Amino acid sequence: MDQYAVWGNPIAQSRSPQIHQIFAQQTQQAMQYSAILGDEQEFEQQLQQFFAQGAKGCNITAPFKTRAFKLADVHSERCLLAQACNTLKRLEDGRLYADNTDGAGLVSDLQRLNWLTPNQRILILGAGGATQGVLFPLLQAKQQIVLANRTLSKAQELAQKFSQLGNIEAVALEAIPVESFDLVINATSSGLQGQTVSIAPKILQHANAFYDMQYSKERDTPFIAQVKQLGKQNVSDGFGMLVGQAAHAFHLWRGIMPNTEVFFMD
């Protein structure tokens, strides 16, 4: 049976094995998908051994996306732009092909929510790896992006890098313009520490919809809870993005696009 896995640290919380199991059953694919705890020191050796033992592909999550990117032999265009990899595939000749399906996963989930029409103003909070992985598909979808980060220089550097691809500008968190954003995306990891982004409430009050790239099984993420307290109803966490990026990874490996709707039926 073809072997696949998701690598991360921590990894016990990952819902990827269940998602890929459903995809495999749905498409009658003979494959096994597990979650593997990567070692901070030995990750590269572990991954090489995994493929040496015949594995066909894997997903990569925090904190190994950049390290996996460097380990690959061939990269997709969106992976090169992100400088980070969340999907690896072993090619017929044994080389490792790296892709980044995070942005495609986000875009497909925003389309599912009917939150993606051309020329929207989108405020993205954070300028780290999560943001870098999704800017290319968002700009391809003709979105106008305002990138807000605590360290302005980091946001400016990212905006400059992607400026040839569309409309993107950088601001400091405390200098976000008060305007009606169509969508606010939280791409910071503050929720993992149970914290929220330090942003003026009036910015959020003027926005129409809110998306958190983090997701939580039991309760609202801190960011979702924060905007709900302001009386906002158009909210979504990142579970749909997780399903979306998994579907695109599955398609890369197996040549079949699975149906993601099953995860959102009442």
Side-chain angles (χ1 to χ4, degrees):
M1 196 175 280
D2 292 346
Q3 297 294 320
Y4 297 88
V6 57
W7 290 81
N9 189 337
I11 200 61
Q13 82 291 351
S14 176
R15 293 170 76 175
S16 292
Q18 299 99 297
I19 292 169
H20 282 281
Q21 186 179 356
I22 288 167
F23 287 164
Q25 288 167 348
Q26 187 190 93
T27 57
Q28 285 94 50
Q29 296 292 298
M31 58 182 279
Q32 194 168 1
Y33 187 107
S34 53
I36 303 176
L37 181 69
D39 183 270
E40 292 275 7
Q41 272 70 49
E42 305 287 326
F43 170 68
E44 284 79 4
Q45 294 90 320
Q46 286 180 312
L47 195 63
Q48 283 165 331
Q49 187 178 5
F50 172 73
F51 281 108
Q53 289 168 347
K56 299 283 189 180
C58 67
N59 288 124
I60 308 289
T61 189
F64 300 123
K65 290 185 180 184
T66 308
R67 288 166 69 172
F69 173 86
K70 290 174 182 170
L71 205 61
D73 305 295
V74 194
H75 303 81
S76 69
E77 182 187 11
R78 60 193 180 186
C79 190
L80 285 169
L81 279 162
Q83 290 288 296
C85 148
N86 81 327
T87 306
L88 286 170
K89 176 183 179 178
R90 193 183 64 171
L91 301 175
E92 292 295 326
D93 60 11
R95 291 181 303 162
L96 285 185
Y97 176 82
D99 197 2
N100 191 316
T101 66
D102 284 333
L106 173 63
V107 165
S108 60
D109 197 37
L110 292 177
Q111 287 168 333
R112 177 186 69 84
L113 293 162
N114 291 318
W115 288 1
L116 203 67
T117 53
N119 301 310
Q120 291 186 134
R121 295 281 286 171
I122 296 183
L123 172 64
I124 300 182
L125 306 173
T131 299
Q132 191 154 327
V134 303
L135 284 176
F136 180 43
L138 285 174
L139 290 167
Q140 275 188 316
K142 303 285 188 286
Q143 304 303 297
Q144 299 175 28
I145 293 171
V146 176
L147 205 52
N149 196 53
R150 198 170 49 207
T151 308
L152 175 59
S153 59
K154 196 170 180 188
Q156 288 171 327
E157 192 180 314
L158 208 50
Q160 177 62 37
K161 181 179 175 183
F162 284 86
S163 61
Q164 306 301 313
L165 299 171
N167 191 326
I168 181 168
E169 59 185 287
V171 296
L173 268 182
E174 65 275 10
I176 298 169
V178 180
E179 58 175 274
S180 296
F181 290 104
D182 297 287
L183 175 63
V184 179
I185 298 175
N186 176 37
T188 72
S189 57
S190 56
L192 295 174
Q193 290 83 46
Q195 298 168 342
T196 55
V197 189
S198 181
I199 175 175
K202 62 184 174 184
I203 304 294
L204 301 174
Q205 280 161 345
H206 282 84
N208 296 330
F210 304 85
Y211 195 96
D212 193 349
M213 285 197 199
Q214 302 290 331
Y215 66 92
S216 173
K217 265 192 281 198
E218 290 82 25
R219 63 186 74 86
D220 287 335
T221 65
F223 177 72
I224 297 295
Q226 178 186 18
V227 295
K228 276 187 175 178
Q229 282 169 356
L230 296 170
K232 297 294 183 176
Q233 303 298 318
N234 277 358
V235 299
S236 178
D237 71 8
F239 178 67
M241 177 179 170
L242 177 75
V243 171
Q245 63 80 27
H248 285 278
F250 188 91
H251 179 255
L252 175 68
W253 296 328
R254 312 300 295 184
I256 301 171
M257 193 58 155
N259 177 10
T260 59
E261 287 302 314
V262 294
F263 293 96
F264 309 104
M265 291 173 180
D266 292 331

